[in-house]
Amino acid sequence: ALDDTALNRALHTLITRHEALRTRFIEHNGLPHQVIDPPPADLALPTVDITADTIDTWVDEQINRPFDLAAGPVFRTALGRLAP
């Protein structure tokens, strides 16, 4: 069985350790700049209940959602739950 709490903790640790996962990109005076945000106080890994029949559609939706590089984050996480 997957330990959701341990997975969430591991993801939080990864984001805390790696500035690249907290970096966003803004425009200032017409030039791009990096902004490194502080580590999040907490992190809630979104969990989505999906079925084997809808997994391809869900994955396609995730792949095709654009990122807002100025608002961040420049990565996205979600836990797709197929079964308990």
Side-chain angles (χ1 to χ4, degrees):
L2 177 67
D3 184 342
D4 295 10
T5 304
L7 178 61
N8 203 48
R9 213 173 21 242
L11 183 59
H12 185 269
T13 299
L14 189 68
I15 293 168
T16 299
R17 286 186 185 170
H18 297 282
E19 289 180 343
L21 297 176
R22 296 182 276 117
T23 300
R24 52 194 172 88
F25 303 91
I26 62 168
E27 182 181 330
H28 182 69
N29 294 331
L31 297 171
H33 290 278
Q34 293 184 114
V35 176
I36 300 172
D37 292 323
D42 62 348
L43 182 70
L45 180 64
T47 301
V48 181
D49 288 320
I50 54 179
T51 65
D53 295 338
T54 61
I55 191 166
D56 290 337
T57 303
W58 180 74
V59 169
D60 285 342
E61 289 171 357
Q62 298 307 307
I63 290 170
N64 291 307
R65 269 182 44 210
F67 287 96
D68 182 344
L69 299 180
V74 296
F75 71 99
R76 140 181 337 121
T77 60
L79 176 60
R81 185 180 305 273
L82 293 170

